[in-house]
Amino acid sequence: MINVTKTFLPPADEFNAILKKAWDNHWITNRGELVKELENKLKELLGVPFLTLTNNGTVPLQIAIKALGLRGEIITTPFSYVATTSTIVWENCQPVFVDIDPHHLTIDESKIEEAITPSTTAILATHVFGNPCAVNVIEDLAKKHQLKVIYDAAHCFGVKYQGQSVFNFGDVSTCSFHATKLFHTAEGGAMFTSDSHLHDTLFYHHNFGHKGPTAFQGLGINAKMSELSGAMGLSVLPYLDAIMTSRKAAVENYQELLANCGLRFMKIREGTSWNYSYFPVIFESEAILLKVMKVLNENGIMPRRYFYPSLSSLNYVKPQSTPIADKIAEQILCLPLYHELSLTDIQRITNLVKQNL
Ligand SMILES: *Cc1c(COP(=O)(O)O)cnc(C)c1O
């Protein structure tokens, strides 16, 4: 069977050798040696001033909303994973959906301003499939209207925009290191900011608000990464270059084999050094998508409808009209993409797709 993704697993002996340090220290969580080492390595690798490792990529969004003191309405995208919207609602704010740019699939920056009301406090947008939002336009709008900006950068490991890590944009960016993501720690994630004061707040928030064993800086939750996840991250890290190289080759093969057959691809924003994290294709209609998906499934190939349905249709948000996102959500399919996917597999997948358009 070929799944939409396949978790990269390092050789078990390499993972065990790193994990042994946790045994030697008899220390398996609460910011042990491995988590600190991973944090330092990632900071250097990504070129970010601050980061806090976390237990997943969802709680950091909640922490960011809390740390920035957001209330009222948050402008967001209907085309993302459910966590982007659910965290807004979880934090008692109201998501206001702005439709997406049909080419880049990110929030349409030209439609943000008309959605701003006196209750708007922030913009929470997703760099969809690692494709950056129009971060400069969004920054200008945020300055003009005194809004905070959070980026759900769950898909963005290794992405650079205009020569620097995409995690450096916005007040806070968050990433997911879930097993299905390009770089993973089984479960895990991170929060990024360039503001040292805000970094401190995020950090305290992720550890119950502790400022030392008996003092508290303020409110907090538990979002700490364990040493087990730290060990996984440290043992995946040496393979990153190889993972990226094989993903890039796979994407290029897909693009070549599916060129000029009527499928539409996501347009990567100019100035981006992309990470080949997903391979979405957009069909002419949902009917064709369903037909192709059925044939692929019958052949043991399991693409995934990312992202479907549109988040503006969730039963806990106020119904809002986002026709472009609603339509694309029905027409888009992520084809299998992972480090071990062979050219033969890609040929088989693309042949089945083309025969059923
Ligand atoms: C994976 C993902 C998340 C959630 O990350 P977890 O680590 O699974 O909590 C949030 N947003 C987006 C866009 C994602 O793809």
Side-chain angles (χ1 to χ4, degrees):
M1 196 175 84
I2 299 177
N3 222 334
V4 66
T5 189
K6 184 173 180 180
T7 300
F8 175 85
L9 287 177
D13 56 339
E14 293 178 21
F15 173 68
N16 287 328
I18 294 173
L19 195 58
K20 186 171 181 303
K21 293 187 200 172
W23 255 248
D24 293 344
N25 295 335
H26 210 100
W27 194 276
I28 60 170
T29 189
N30 284 5
R31 294 191 62 74
E33 188 188 327
L34 300 178
V35 161
K36 284 185 192 159
E37 187 184 337
L38 181 61
E39 223 165 60
N40 289 331
K41 284 195 166 152
L42 291 180
K43 224 185 318 188
E44 189 175 319
L45 175 77
L46 298 168
V48 294
F50 304 105
L51 85 134
T52 304
L53 291 175
T54 55
N55 56 346
N56 60 45
T58 302
V59 180
L61 288 168
Q62 294 173 213
I63 292 177
I65 293 170
K66 195 75 89 186
L68 293 169
L70 304 183
R71 288 169 290 103
E73 296 172 1
I74 299 180
I75 290 175
T76 190
T77 175
F79 190 67
S80 182
Y81 184 59
V82 69
T84 316
T85 297
S86 64
T87 50
I88 294 173
V89 176
W90 197 268
E91 293 300 323
N92 291 317
C93 296
Q94 287 88 50
V96 171
F97 294 101
V98 165
D99 214 343
I100 61 170
D101 161 351
H103 308 290
H104 299 98
L105 310 182
T106 47
I107 194 167
D108 187 340
E109 65 277 9
S110 72
K111 292 180 180 158
I112 291 178
E113 199 154 29
E114 64 201 51
I116 297 174
T117 74
S119 305
T120 309
T121 55
I123 300 165
L124 198 179
T126 300
H127 302 310
V128 178
F129 306 129
N131 196 19
C133 298
V135 291
N136 298 320
V137 177
I138 291 175
E139 187 175 329
D140 289 345
L141 283 171
K143 276 200 185 121
K144 183 173 161 196
H145 296 276
Q146 295 181 323
L147 305 176
K148 301 293 184 187
V149 179
I150 301 171
Y151 287 115
D152 181 340
H155 301 163
C156 292
F157 195 91
V159 172
K160 287 190 170 174
Y161 182 63
Q162 294 179 334
Q164 62 169 316
S165 171
V166 79
F167 297 134
N168 287 341
F169 294 91
D171 292 283
V172 179
S173 289
T174 63
C175 192
S176 167
F177 302 153
H178 184 257
T180 54
K181 305 295 205 269
L182 185 153
F183 168 75
H184 78 93
T185 60
E187 291 273 2
M191 350 185 234
F192 305 85
T193 179
S194 307
D195 175 326
S196 70
H197 181 71
L198 185 54
H199 166 68
D200 287 346
T201 307
L202 295 169
F203 182 84
Y204 290 129
H205 275 355
H206 106 296
N207 184 24
F208 302 99
H210 267 295
K211 192 174 188 176
T214 53
F216 292 92
Q217 186 260 358
L219 185 67
I221 195 167
N222 180 5
K224 298 187 303 295
M225 178 180 279
S226 82
E227 289 292 89
L228 281 69
S229 283
M232 180 59 83
L234 286 169
S235 52
V236 172
L237 217 45
Y239 294 92
L240 254 185
D241 282 348
I243 293 170
M244 294 284 251
T245 305
S246 56
R247 281 175 169 271
K248 179 169 190 277
V251 166
E252 285 168 357
N253 286 327
Y254 267 130
Q255 282 168 337
E256 198 183 308
L257 292 166
L258 292 175
N260 310 315
C261 71
L263 287 176
R264 207 156 69 71
F265 303 141
M266 171 175 75
K267 186 168 181 241
I268 303 294
R269 192 172 302 281
E270 220 179 286
T272 305
S273 159
W274 188 46
N275 63 357
Y276 308 92
S277 47
Y278 294 85
F279 191 70
V281 290
I282 303 170
F283 293 86
E284 251 175 59
S285 70
E286 186 177 28
I288 300 175
L289 177 149
L290 292 172
K291 180 172 153 221
V292 168
M293 195 158 141
K294 184 163 175 280
V295 173
L296 290 174
N297 289 168
E298 284 163 2
N299 284 273
I301 299 159
M302 305 292 165
R304 177 115 188 233
R305 296 188 75 179
Y306 267 148
F307 301 105
Y308 177 85
S310 170
L311 299 176
S312 52
S313 71
L314 287 167
N315 66 4
Y316 51 81
V317 303
K318 213 165 51 187
Q320 289 163 64
S321 165
T322 52
I324 296 171
D326 297 357
K327 188 145 185 284
I328 286 178
E330 287 175 352
Q331 295 168 291
I332 196 165
L333 192 63
C334 280
L335 297 180
L337 178 60
Y338 48 86
H339 59 285
E340 288 184 343
L341 190 68
S342 69
L343 178 56
T344 321
D345 290 336
I346 294 172
Q347 283 164 336
R348 203 157 69 84
I349 295 166
T350 53
N351 283 336
L352 287 168
V353 171
K354 284 190 282 190
Q355 285 157 12
N356 289 282
L357 287 178

